[in-house]
Coordinates of all heavy atoms in Angstrom, one line a residue:
D14 N -7.9 -131.7 88.2 CA -7.6 -130.6 87.4 C -6.2 -130.1 87.6 O -5.7 -130.0 88.7 CB -8.5 -129.4 87.7 CG -9.6 -129.2 86.7 OD1 -9.7 -129.9 85.8 OD2 -10.4 -128.3 87.0
K15 N -5.5 -129.9 86.4 CA -4.1 -129.4 86.4 C -4.2 -127.9 86.8 O -5.1 -127.2 86.4 CB -3.5 -129.6 85.1 CG -3.1 -130.9 84.7 CD -2.3 -130.9 83.5 CE -2.6 -132.0 82.6 NZ -1.9 -131.9 81.3
P16 N -3.2 -127.4 87.6 CA -3.1 -126.0 87.8 C -2.8 -125.2 86.6 O -2.2 -125.7 85.7 CB -2.0 -125.9 88.8 CG -1.1 -127.1 88.7 CD -2.1 -128.2 88.2
K17 N -3.4 -124.1 86.4 CA -3.2 -123.3 85.2 C -2.0 -122.3 85.6 O -2.0 -121.6 86.7 CB -4.4 -122.5 84.9 CG -5.5 -123.4 84.4 CD -6.7 -122.7 84.0 CE -7.8 -123.7 83.6 NZ -9.1 -123.0 83.2
Y18 N -1.1 -122.2 84.6 CA 0.0 -121.3 84.9 C 0.6 -120.9 83.6 O 0.4 -121.4 82.5 CB 1.1 -122.0 85.7 CG 1.8 -123.2 85.1 CD1 3.0 -123.1 84.4 CD2 1.2 -124.4 85.2 CE1 3.6 -124.1 83.8 CE2 1.8 -125.6 84.6 CZ 3.0 -125.4 83.9 OH 3.6 -126.5 83.3
W19 N 1.4 -119.7 83.6 CA 2.2 -119.3 82.5 C 3.6 -119.7 82.8 O 4.0 -119.7 84.0 CB 2.1 -117.8 82.4 CG 0.8 -117.3 81.9 CD1 -0.3 -117.9 81.5 CD2 0.5 -115.9 81.8 NE1 -1.3 -117.1 81.1 CE2 -0.8 -115.8 81.2 CE3 1.1 -114.7 82.0 CZ2 -1.5 -114.6 81.0 CZ3 0.5 -113.5 81.8 CH2 -0.8 -113.5 81.2
A20 N 4.4 -120.0 81.8 CA 5.8 -120.3 82.0 C 6.6 -119.3 81.3 O 6.4 -118.9 80.1 CB 6.1 -121.7 81.5
L21 N 7.7 -118.8 81.9 CA 8.5 -117.8 81.3 C 10.0 -118.2 81.5 O 10.4 -118.5 82.6 CB 8.3 -116.4 82.1 CG 9.2 -115.3 81.7 CD1 8.9 -114.9 80.2 CD2 8.9 -114.1 82.6
S22 N 10.7 -118.3 80.4 CA 12.1 -118.7 80.4 C 12.8 -117.3 80.4 O 12.8 -116.6 79.4 CB 12.5 -119.5 79.3 OG 13.8 -119.8 79.3
Y23 N 13.6 -117.0 81.4 CA 14.2 -115.7 81.5 C 15.5 -115.7 82.2 O 15.6 -115.5 83.4 CB 13.3 -114.7 82.2 CG 13.4 -113.4 81.4 CD1 12.6 -113.1 80.4 CD2 14.3 -112.5 81.8 CE1 12.7 -112.0 79.6 CE2 14.4 -111.3 81.1 CZ 13.6 -111.0 80.1 OH 13.8 -109.9 79.4
V24 N 16.6 -116.0 81.5 CA 17.9 -115.9 82.1 C 18.8 -115.0 81.2 O 20.0 -115.1 81.2 CB 18.5 -117.4 82.2 CG1 19.8 -117.3 83.0 CG2 17.6 -118.4 82.8
W25 N 18.2 -114.1 80.5 CA 18.9 -113.2 79.6 C 19.4 -112.0 80.3 O 18.9 -111.6 81.4 CB 18.0 -112.7 78.5 CG 17.3 -113.8 77.7 CD1 17.7 -115.0 77.5 CD2 16.0 -113.7 77.1 NE1 16.8 -115.8 76.7 CE2 15.8 -114.9 76.5 CE3 15.1 -112.6 76.9 CZ2 14.6 -115.2 75.7 CZ3 13.9 -112.9 76.2 CH2 13.8 -114.1 75.6
G26 N 20.3 -111.3 79.7 CA 20.8 -110.0 80.2 C 22.0 -110.1 81.1 O 22.5 -111.2 81.4
D27 N 22.4 -108.9 81.6 CA 23.5 -108.8 82.5 C 23.2 -109.4 83.9 O 22.3 -108.9 84.5 CB 23.9 -107.3 82.6 CG 25.1 -107.1 83.4 OD1 25.6 -108.0 84.1 OD2 25.6 -106.0 83.5
S28 N 23.9 -110.5 84.2 CA 23.5 -111.1 85.5 C 24.2 -110.5 86.7 O 23.9 -110.8 87.8 CB 23.9 -112.6 85.4 OG 25.3 -112.7 85.3
T29 N 25.0 -109.4 86.5 CA 25.6 -108.7 87.6 C 24.8 -107.6 88.2 O 24.9 -107.4 89.4 CB 27.0 -108.2 87.2 OG1 26.8 -107.2 86.2 CG2 27.9 -109.3 86.7
E30 N 23.9 -107.0 87.4 CA 23.0 -106.0 87.9 C 21.7 -106.6 88.4 O 21.0 -107.2 87.6 CB 22.8 -105.0 86.8 CG 23.9 -104.1 86.4 CD 23.5 -103.0 85.5 OE1 22.7 -102.2 85.9 OE2 24.1 -103.0 84.4
R31 N 21.5 -106.5 89.7 CA 20.3 -107.2 90.3 C 19.6 -106.2 91.2 O 20.2 -105.3 91.7 CB 20.7 -108.4 91.1 CG 21.3 -109.5 90.1 CD 21.7 -110.7 90.9 NE 22.2 -111.7 90.0 CZ 21.4 -112.7 89.5 NH1 20.1 -112.8 89.9 NH2 21.8 -113.6 88.7
E32 N 18.3 -106.5 91.4 CA 17.5 -105.7 92.3 C 16.6 -106.7 93.1 O 16.1 -107.7 92.6 CB 16.6 -104.8 91.4 CG 15.7 -104.0 92.3 CD 14.9 -103.0 91.4 OE1 15.6 -102.1 90.8 OE2 13.7 -103.1 91.3
P33 N 16.4 -106.4 94.4 CA 15.6 -107.3 95.2 C 14.2 -107.2 94.8 O 13.6 -106.1 94.7 CB 15.9 -106.9 96.6 CG 16.3 -105.5 96.5 CD 17.0 -105.3 95.2
L34 N 13.5 -108.4 94.7 CA 12.1 -108.4 94.5 C 11.5 -109.2 95.6 O 12.1 -110.2 96.1 CB 11.7 -109.1 93.2 CG 12.2 -108.5 91.9 CD1 11.7 -109.4 90.7 CD2 11.6 -107.1 91.7
C35 N 10.3 -108.9 96.1 CA 9.6 -109.7 97.1 C 8.6 -110.6 96.4 O 7.7 -110.2 95.7 CB 8.9 -108.8 98.1 SG 8.1 -109.7 99.4
I36 N 8.9 -111.9 96.5 CA 8.0 -112.9 95.9 C 7.5 -113.9 97.0 O 8.3 -114.6 97.7 CB 8.8 -113.8 94.8 CG1 9.4 -112.8 93.8 CG2 8.0 -114.8 94.2 CD1 10.4 -113.5 92.8
E37 N 6.2 -113.8 97.2 CA 5.5 -114.6 98.3 C 6.3 -114.5 99.6 O 6.6 -115.4 100.3 CB 5.4 -116.0 97.9 CG 4.4 -116.2 96.7 CD 4.1 -117.6 96.3 OE1 4.5 -118.5 97.0 OE2 3.3 -117.8 95.4
G38 N 6.7 -113.2 100.0 CA 7.3 -113.0 101.2 C 8.8 -113.3 101.3 O 9.4 -113.1 102.3
Q39 N 9.3 -113.7 100.2 CA 10.8 -114.0 100.1 C 11.5 -113.0 99.2 O 10.9 -112.6 98.2 CB 11.0 -115.5 99.6 CG 10.4 -116.5 100.4 CD 11.0 -116.7 101.7 OE1 12.2 -116.6 101.9 NE2 10.2 -116.9 102.8
T40 N 12.7 -112.7 99.6 CA 13.5 -111.7 98.7 C 14.2 -112.5 97.7 O 14.9 -113.6 98.0 CB 14.5 -111.0 99.6 OG1 13.8 -110.2 100.6 CG2 15.3 -110.0 98.7
F41 N 14.1 -112.1 96.5 CA 14.8 -112.7 95.3 C 15.6 -111.6 94.6 O 15.0 -110.6 94.3 CB 13.8 -113.4 94.4 CG 14.5 -114.0 93.2 CD1 15.1 -115.2 93.2 CD2 14.5 -113.3 92.0 CE1 15.7 -115.8 92.1 CE2 15.0 -113.9 90.8 CZ 15.7 -115.1 90.9
M42 N 16.9 -111.9 94.4 CA 17.7 -110.9 93.7 C 17.5 -111.2 92.2 O 18.1 -112.1 91.6 CB 19.2 -111.0 94.1 CG 19.4 -110.6 95.5 SD 18.8 -109.0 95.9 CE 20.0 -108.0 95.0
A43 N 16.7 -110.3 91.5 CA 16.4 -110.6 90.1 C 17.3 -109.6 89.2 O 17.6 -108.5 89.6 CB 15.0 -110.2 89.8
T44 N 17.6 -110.1 88.0 CA 18.3 -109.3 87.1 C 17.3 -108.2 86.7 O 16.1 -108.3 86.8 CB 18.7 -110.0 85.8 OG1 17.5 -110.6 85.2 CG2 19.7 -111.2 86.2
L45 N 17.9 -107.1 86.2 CA 17.0 -106.0 85.8 C 16.0 -106.4 84.7 O 14.9 -105.9 84.6 CB 17.8 -104.7 85.5 CG 18.8 -104.2 86.6 CD1 19.5 -103.0 86.2 CD2 17.9 -103.9 87.9
N46 N 16.6 -107.2 83.7 CA 15.7 -107.6 82.6 C 14.6 -108.5 83.1 O 13.4 -108.4 82.6 CB 16.6 -108.4 81.6 CG 17.4 -107.5 80.7 OD1 17.1 -106.3 80.6 ND2 18.3 -108.1 80.1
L47 N 14.8 -109.4 84.1 CA 13.8 -110.2 84.6 C 12.7 -109.3 85.4 O 11.5 -109.5 85.2 CB 14.3 -111.2 85.6 CG 13.3 -112.1 86.3 CD1 12.3 -112.8 85.3 CD2 13.9 -113.1 87.2
R48 N 13.2 -108.3 86.1 CA 12.3 -107.4 86.8 C 11.4 -106.7 85.8 O 10.2 -106.7 86.0 CB 13.1 -106.4 87.6 CG 12.3 -105.3 88.2 CD 12.9 -104.0 88.4 NE 13.4 -103.5 87.2 CZ 14.3 -102.5 87.1 NH1 14.9 -102.0 88.1 NH2 14.6 -102.1 85.9
D49 N 12.0 -106.3 84.7 CA 11.2 -105.6 83.7 C 10.2 -106.5 83.0 O 9.0 -106.1 82.7 CB 12.1 -104.9 82.6 CG 12.9 -103.8 83.2 OD1 12.6 -103.3 84.3 OD2 13.9 -103.4 82.5
A50 N 10.6 -107.8 82.8 CA 9.7 -108.7 82.2 C 8.5 -109.0 83.1 O 7.4 -109.1 82.6 CB 10.5 -110.0 81.8
L51 N 8.8 -109.2 84.4 CA 7.7 -109.5 85.3 C 6.7 -108.3 85.4 O 5.5 -108.5 85.5 CB 8.3 -109.8 86.7 CG 9.1 -111.1 86.8 CD1 9.8 -111.2 88.1 CD2 8.2 -112.3 86.5
K52 N 7.2 -107.1 85.3 CA 6.3 -105.9 85.3 C 5.5 -105.9 84.1 O 4.3 -105.6 84.1 CB 7.2 -104.6 85.3 CG 7.7 -104.3 86.7 CD 8.5 -103.0 86.7 CE 9.1 -102.7 88.1 NZ 9.9 -101.5 88.1
R53 N 6.0 -106.3 82.9 CA 5.2 -106.3 81.7 C 4.2 -107.4 81.8 O 3.0 -107.2 81.4 CB 6.2 -106.6 80.5 CG 6.9 -105.4 80.1 CD 7.7 -105.6 78.8 NE 8.7 -104.6 78.6 CZ 10.0 -104.7 78.8 NH1 10.5 -105.9 79.1 NH2 10.8 -103.8 78.7
V54 N 4.5 -108.6 82.3 CA 3.5 -109.6 82.5 C 2.4 -109.2 83.4 O 1.2 -109.3 83.1 CB 4.2 -110.9 83.0 CG1 3.2 -111.9 83.5 CG2 5.1 -111.5 82.0
R55 N 2.8 -108.6 84.5 CA 1.7 -108.0 85.4 C 0.8 -107.1 84.7 O -0.4 -107.1 84.9 CB 2.4 -107.4 86.6 CG 1.4 -106.9 87.7 CD 2.1 -106.4 88.9 NE 2.9 -105.3 88.5 CZ 3.9 -104.8 89.2 NH1 4.1 -105.3 90.4 NH2 4.6 -103.8 88.8
N56 N 1.4 -106.2 83.9 CA 0.5 -105.2 83.2 C -0.4 -105.7 82.2 O -1.4 -105.1 81.9 CB 1.5 -104.1 82.6 CG 2.2 -103.3 83.6 OD1 1.7 -103.1 84.7 ND2 3.3 -102.7 83.2
V57 N -0.1 -106.9 81.6 CA -1.0 -107.5 80.5 C -2.0 -108.5 81.1 O -2.9 -108.9 80.4 CB -0.2 -108.2 79.4 CG1 0.7 -107.2 78.7 CG2 0.6 -109.3 79.9
M58 N -1.8 -108.8 82.4 CA -2.8 -109.8 83.0 C -4.1 -109.1 83.1 O -4.3 -108.0 83.5 CB -2.3 -110.2 84.3 CG -1.0 -111.1 84.3 SD -0.5 -111.7 85.8 CE -0.9 -113.3 85.7
S59 N -5.1 -109.9 82.7 CA -6.5 -109.4 82.7 C -7.3 -110.0 83.9 O -6.7 -110.8 84.6 CB -7.2 -109.7 81.4 OG -7.3 -111.1 81.3
A60 N -8.5 -109.6 84.0 CA -9.3 -110.2 85.1 C -9.4 -111.7 85.0 O -9.4 -112.4 86.0 CB -10.7 -109.6 85.1
E61 N -9.4 -112.2 83.8 CA -9.5 -113.6 83.6 C -8.1 -114.4 83.9 O -8.2 -115.6 84.2 CB -9.9 -114.0 82.1 CG -11.3 -113.5 81.7 CD -11.2 -112.0 81.3 OE1 -10.3 -111.6 80.7 OE2 -12.2 -111.4 81.6
T62 N -7.0 -113.7 83.8 CA -5.7 -114.4 83.9 C -5.0 -114.0 85.2 O -4.0 -114.6 85.5 CB -4.8 -114.0 82.8 OG1 -4.6 -112.7 82.7 CG2 -5.4 -114.5 81.4
K63 N -5.6 -113.1 86.0 CA -4.9 -112.6 87.2 C -4.7 -113.7 88.2 O -3.8 -113.6 89.1 CB -5.6 -111.4 87.8 CG -7.0 -111.8 88.5 CD -7.5 -110.6 89.1 CE -8.8 -110.9 89.8 NZ -8.8 -111.9 90.8
D64 N -5.5 -114.8 88.2 CA -5.3 -115.9 89.1 C -4.3 -117.0 88.7 O -4.0 -117.9 89.4 CB -6.6 -116.5 89.5 CG -7.5 -115.6 90.3 OD1 -6.9 -114.7 91.0 OD2 -8.7 -115.6 90.1
L65 N -3.8 -116.8 87.5 CA -2.8 -117.8 87.0 C -1.5 -117.7 87.7 O -1.1 -116.5 88.1 CB -2.6 -117.6 85.4 CG -3.6 -118.0 84.5 CD1 -3.2 -117.6 83.1 CD2 -3.9 -119.5 84.5
Q66 N -0.9 -118.8 87.9 CA 0.4 -118.7 88.5 C 1.5 -118.6 87.5 O 1.3 -118.9 86.3 CB 0.7 -120.0 89.3 CG -0.2 -120.1 90.5 CD 0.1 -121.3 91.3 OE1 1.0 -122.1 91.1 NE2 -0.7 -121.5 92.4
L67 N 2.6 -118.1 87.8 CA 3.7 -117.8 86.9 C 4.9 -118.7 87.3 O 5.3 -118.6 88.5 CB 4.1 -116.3 86.9 CG 5.1 -115.9 85.9 CD1 4.7 -116.1 84.4 CD2 5.4 -114.4 86.1
W68 N 5.4 -119.5 86.4 CA 6.6 -120.3 86.6 C 7.7 -119.7 85.8 O 7.6 -119.5 84.6 CB 6.3 -121.7 86.2 CG 7.5 -122.7 86.5 CD1 7.6 -123.4 87.6 CD2 8.6 -123.0 85.7 NE1 8.8 -124.2 87.6 CE2 9.4 -123.8 86.4 CE3 9.1 -122.5 84.5 CZ2 10.7 -124.3 85.9 CZ3 10.3 -123.0 84.0 CH2 11.1 -123.9 84.7
V69 N 8.8 -119.3 86.5 CA 9.9 -118.6 85.8 C 11.1 -119.4 86.2 O 11.5 -119.6 87.3 CB 10.1 -117.1 86.3 CG1 11.2 -116.4 85.6 CG2 8.8 -116.3 86.1
D70 N 11.8 -119.9 85.1 CA 13.0 -120.7 85.4 C 14.0 -120.0 86.2 O 14.6 -120.7 87.1 CB 13.6 -121.2 84.0 CG 14.0 -120.2 83.0 OD1 13.8 -119.0 83.3 OD2 14.4 -120.5 81.9
A71 N 14.3 -118.7 86.0 CA 15.3 -118.1 86.7 C 15.0 -118.0 88.2 O 15.9 -117.8 89.0 CB 15.5 -116.6 86.2
I72 N 13.7 -118.1 88.6 CA 13.3 -118.0 90.0 C 13.1 -119.4 90.5 O 13.5 -119.8 91.6 CB 12.0 -117.2 90.1 CG1 12.3 -115.8 89.7 CG2 11.4 -117.3 91.5 CD1 11.0 -114.9 89.6
C73 N 12.4 -120.3 89.8 CA 12.0 -121.6 90.3 C 13.1 -122.6 90.3 O 13.0 -123.6 91.0 CB 10.8 -122.1 89.4 SG 9.4 -121.1 89.6
I74 N 14.1 -122.4 89.5 CA 15.3 -123.3 89.5 C 16.5 -122.7 90.2 O 16.8 -121.6 89.9 CB 15.7 -123.7 88.0 CG1 14.5 -124.3 87.3 CG2 16.9 -124.6 88.0 CD1 14.8 -124.5 85.8
N75 N 17.0 -123.4 91.2 CA 18.2 -122.9 91.9 C 19.4 -122.9 90.9 O 19.9 -124.0 90.6 CB 18.5 -123.8 93.1 CG 19.6 -123.3 93.9 OD1 20.4 -122.4 93.5 ND2 19.9 -123.9 95.0
Q76 N 19.7 -121.7 90.5 CA 20.8 -121.6 89.4 C 22.1 -122.0 90.0 O 23.1 -122.2 89.2 CB 20.8 -120.2 88.9 CG 19.5 -119.8 88.3 CD 19.1 -120.6 87.0 OE1 19.9 -120.8 86.2 NE2 17.8 -121.0 87.0
E77 N 22.3 -122.1 91.3 CA 23.6 -122.5 91.9 C 23.7 -124.0 92.1 O 24.8 -124.4 92.4 CB 23.7 -121.8 93.3 CG 23.5 -120.2 93.2 CD 24.6 -119.6 92.4 OE1 25.7 -119.9 92.5 OE2 24.2 -118.7 91.6
D78 N 22.7 -124.7 91.9 CA 22.7 -126.1 92.2 C 22.6 -126.9 90.8 O 21.6 -127.0 90.2 CB 21.4 -126.5 93.1 CG 21.4 -127.9 93.5 OD1 21.9 -128.8 92.8 OD2 20.7 -128.2 94.5
T79 N 23.8 -127.4 90.4 CA 23.9 -128.1 89.2 C 23.0 -129.4 89.1 O 22.4 -129.6 88.0 CB 25.4 -128.6 88.9 OG1 26.2 -127.4 89.1 CG2 25.5 -129.2 87.6
T80 N 22.8 -130.1 90.2 CA 21.9 -131.3 90.2 C 20.5 -130.9 89.9 O 19.8 -131.4 89.1 CB 22.0 -132.1 91.5 OG1 23.4 -132.4 91.7 CG2 21.2 -133.3 91.5
E81 N 20.0 -129.9 90.7 CA 18.7 -129.4 90.5 C 18.5 -128.8 89.1 O 17.4 -129.1 88.4 CB 18.3 -128.3 91.5 CG 16.9 -127.8 91.3 CD 16.4 -126.7 92.3 OE1 17.1 -126.5 93.3 OE2 15.5 -126.1 92.0
K82 N 19.4 -128.0 88.6 CA 19.3 -127.5 87.2 C 19.2 -128.6 86.2 O 18.3 -128.5 85.3 CB 20.5 -126.6 86.9 CG 20.2 -125.2 87.1 CD 21.2 -124.2 86.7 CE 22.5 -124.5 86.1 NZ 23.4 -123.4 85.9
S83 N 20.0 -129.6 86.3 CA 19.9 -130.7 85.3 C 18.6 -131.4 85.4 O 18.0 -131.7 84.4 CB 21.0 -131.7 85.6 OG 22.3 -131.1 85.5
W84 N 18.1 -131.7 86.6 CA 16.8 -132.3 86.7 C 15.7 -131.5 86.2 O 14.8 -132.0 85.4 CB 16.6 -132.6 88.3 CG 15.2 -133.3 88.5 CD1 15.0 -134.6 88.3 CD2 14.1 -132.7 89.1 NE1 13.7 -134.9 88.6 CE2 13.1 -133.7 89.2 CE3 13.8 -131.4 89.6 CZ2 11.8 -133.5 89.7 CZ3 12.5 -131.2 90.1 CH2 11.6 -132.2 90.1
Q85 N 15.7 -130.2 86.5 CA 14.6 -129.3 86.0 C 14.7 -129.1 84.5 O 13.7 -129.1 83.8 CB 14.7 -127.9 86.6 CG 14.4 -127.9 88.1 CD 12.9 -127.8 88.4 OE1 12.1 -127.7 87.5 NE2 12.5 -127.8 89.6
V86 N 15.9 -129.0 83.9 CA 16.1 -128.9 82.4 C 15.4 -130.1 81.8 O 14.8 -130.0 80.7 CB 17.5 -128.7 82.1 CG1 17.8 -128.9 80.6 CG2 18.0 -127.3 82.5
S87 N 15.7 -131.3 82.4 CA 15.1 -132.5 81.7 C 13.5 -132.5 81.7 O 12.9 -133.2 80.9 CB 15.5 -133.7 82.5 OG 14.9 -133.8 83.8
M88 N 12.9 -131.6 82.6 CA 11.5 -131.5 82.7 C 10.9 -130.4 81.9 O 9.7 -130.1 81.8 CB 11.0 -131.4 84.1 CG 11.4 -132.6 84.9 SD 10.9 -132.4 86.7 CE 9.4 -131.5 86.7
M89 N 11.8 -129.5 81.3 CA 11.4 -128.2 80.6 C 10.3 -128.4 79.6 O 9.4 -127.7 79.5 CB 12.6 -127.5 80.0 CG 13.6 -127.0 81.1 SD 12.9 -125.8 82.1 CE 14.0 -124.4 81.7
S90 N 10.5 -129.4 78.7 CA 9.5 -129.5 77.6 C 8.1 -129.8 78.2 O 7.1 -129.3 77.7 CB 9.8 -130.7 76.6 OG 9.9 -131.9 77.3
R91 N 8.0 -130.6 79.3 CA 6.7 -130.8 79.9 C 6.2 -129.6 80.6 O 5.0 -129.3 80.5 CB 6.8 -132.0 80.9 CG 5.5 -132.5 81.4 CD 5.6 -133.8 82.2 NE 6.1 -133.5 83.5 CZ 6.9 -134.3 84.2 NH1 7.3 -135.4 83.7 NH2 7.2 -133.9 85.4
I92 N 7.1 -128.9 81.2 CA 6.7 -127.6 81.9 C 6.1 -126.6 80.9 O 5.0 -126.1 81.2 CB 7.9 -127.0 82.7 CG1 8.2 -127.9 83.9 CG2 7.6 -125.6 83.2 CD1 9.6 -127.6 84.6
Y93 N 6.8 -126.4 79.8 CA 6.4 -125.4 78.9 C 5.1 -125.9 78.1 O 4.3 -125.1 77.8 CB 7.5 -125.0 77.9 CG 8.5 -124.1 78.7 CD1 9.7 -124.6 79.1 CD2 8.1 -122.8 79.1 CE1 10.6 -123.8 79.7 CE2 9.0 -122.1 79.8 CZ 10.3 -122.6 80.1 OH 11.2 -121.8 80.8
S94 N 5.1 -127.1 77.8 CA 3.9 -127.6 77.0 C 2.6 -127.6 77.8 O 1.5 -127.6 77.3 CB 4.2 -129.0 76.4 OG 4.3 -130.0 77.4
S95 N 2.8 -127.7 79.1 CA 1.6 -127.7 80.0 C 1.1 -126.3 80.4 O 0.0 -126.2 80.9 CB 1.9 -128.4 81.3 OG 2.2 -129.8 81.0
A96 N 1.9 -125.3 80.1 CA 1.6 -123.9 80.4 C 0.5 -123.4 79.6 O 0.3 -123.9 78.5 CB 2.8 -123.0 80.4

């Protein structure tokens, strides 16, 4: 069985304004727009969807690593079509 997940592409907004978020025990400096989007997703999750994992490009892809970004971008269509 494939894991069930939602995929969110979120690199919009002012990248200079950031706020720390705790994600699985790790601190991630998220843009304010991403923080707001994650809050909205959390608010719409129902009992049936609360166990779904969330894949967010701005979090899951190391934005500082050009090699990783290129590799992940090449997989984007598969990532989003499987979500």
Side-chain angles (χ1 to χ4, degrees):
D14 255 356
K15 290 189 215 176
K17 295 182 179 177
Y18 64 95
W19 288 356
L21 176 65
S22 179
Y23 219 86
V24 190
W25 307 331
D27 183 351
S28 63
T29 61
E30 292 189 57
R31 294 179 176 265
E32 179 175 296
L34 296 180
C35 183
I36 302 172
E37 295 188 359
Q39 300 292 318
T40 301
F41 176 79
M42 295 302 292
T44 63
L45 301 183
N46 282 345
L47 175 57
R48 176 206 60 197
D49 293 343
L51 292 172
K52 285 181 180 179
R53 285 187 195 104
V54 167
R55 182 178 58 197
N56 289 337
V57 300
M58 292 181 111
S59 66
E61 296 82 36
T62 60
K63 70 177 179 58
D64 292 329
L65 288 176
Q66 294 184 0
L67 184 61
W68 185 93
V69 182
D70 56 3
I72 297 171
C73 295
I74 300 173
N75 180 353
Q76 302 297 316
E77 306 297 317
D78 184 333
T79 306
T80 303
E81 180 180 341
K82 262 188 358 186
S83 296
W84 181 73
Q85 292 276 359
V86 166
S87 72
M88 296 176 40
M89 293 294 239
S90 64
R91 191 170 78 216
I92 290 168
Y93 288 107
S94 66
S95 296

